[in-house]
Amino acid sequence: MTDPSQESVRLFVACEIPDDVKDAIRGVIEDLRARSGTAVRWVRPEGVHITLKFLGEVPARKLPHVKLAIQEAVVGHSPFELEFSTIGTFGGREGLRLMWVGVAGDVLRLEALVRSVNAALGVVGFEPERRPFRPHLTLGRVRDDVSTRQRAEIEVAVGKVEVPQVSWRTSHVSLMRSRLGPGGATYELLASFPLRVVQQPV
């Protein structure tokens, strides 16, 4: 019998996006799918989010400490506006690897929130992220068996896709659980931490 105290959960901290923005993401993916065929594994639009910090496998007994750290991290951060920018790509030695929509708007406030989350979680034992934070919404990943030439062709096609003008208000931070399965990852909301306007003393 499994000892519950030894169980672990796969966690990440994120800013979720509203349904109308997910619908816009769905439209972009359909446009890209029409240009790239079956060479790409597309994300499910309903699961798209902005990852602030990936925590990985965390002992379940550590969950209360994680929640408290995030609660402390959001103090002093008020809601802010974000919007789509352009479609971008990440590549590797073989060429195009991943496609995403960039995020613009109040990015400085988003970055400040990320720094607070990193600092607070560092206190409870999580290593701070070394890579620079680049806010984006992942669209799809090119399959491993796709040739370098086809990757280049897809990248040209990506550049022809127009991004809709969409903006949204970010008003909370979410602690999410990721479950890996045959159809990809599914996400479960474990806790939500509202961003509140800081009242100045009179």
Side-chain angles (χ1 to χ4, degrees):
M1 188 171 178
T2 304
D3 181 355
S5 67
Q6 300 302 316
E7 290 180 359
S8 66
V9 285
R10 185 178 173 88
L11 302 177
F12 63 92
V13 184
C15 287
E16 297 184 87
I17 60 175
D19 289 342
D20 61 327
V21 180
K22 291 177 181 179
D23 288 340
I25 287 283
R26 183 174 286 105
V28 173
I29 287 176
E30 289 305 316
D31 194 347
L32 286 167
R33 192 196 306 272
R35 298 169 187 265
S36 59
T38 60
V40 180
R41 291 191 303 272
W42 301 104
V43 302
R44 290 191 292 265
E46 60 270 20
V48 171
H49 54 267
I50 300 174
T51 301
L52 305 187
K53 186 170 181 61
F54 177 69
L55 303 180
E57 294 290 340
V58 178
R61 56 182 165 72
K62 201 169 183 177
L63 259 175
H65 303 287
V66 171
K67 291 178 180 179
L68 183 59
I70 300 172
Q71 183 63 63
E72 292 174 351
V74 302
V75 172
H77 293 274
S78 54
F80 50 88
E81 302 289 330
L82 295 173
E83 61 190 39
F84 287 169
S85 58
T86 58
I87 291 184
T89 61
F90 293 141
R93 286 179 298 178
E94 302 298 323
L96 174 65
R97 182 173 53 84
L98 187 142
M99 286 168 274
W100 45 268
V101 172
V103 174
D106 289 333
V107 174
L108 291 179
R109 293 171 70 180
L110 175 59
E111 290 173 344
L113 179 60
V114 170
R115 287 195 296 272
S116 293
V117 168
N118 259 298
L121 287 168
V123 173
V124 293
F126 292 93
E127 286 287 324
E129 183 61 57
R130 302 298 179 190
R131 292 172 298 181
F133 176 67
R134 298 173 67 177
H136 63 276
L137 302 166
T138 300
L139 300 173
R141 296 172 175 80
V142 180
R143 298 182 187 278
D144 293 340
D145 58 354
V146 174
S147 68
T148 301
R149 178 178 176 179
Q150 191 176 359
R151 289 171 193 267
E153 292 171 351
I154 295 171
E155 192 157 13
V156 171
V158 168
K160 297 177 180 178
V161 174
E162 291 191 15
V163 179
Q165 291 186 321
V166 177
S167 62
W168 67 95
R169 187 172 178 80
T170 297
S171 59
H172 64 279
V173 169
S174 299
L175 175 62
M176 308 291 292
R177 179 177 186 177
S178 172
R179 298 177 187 269
L180 302 179
T186 56
Y187 306 126
E188 174 190 354
L189 175 65
L190 296 185
S192 183
F193 306 88
L195 304 176
R196 294 191 175 92
V197 176
V198 179
Q199 297 293 333
Q200 297 295 330
V202 179

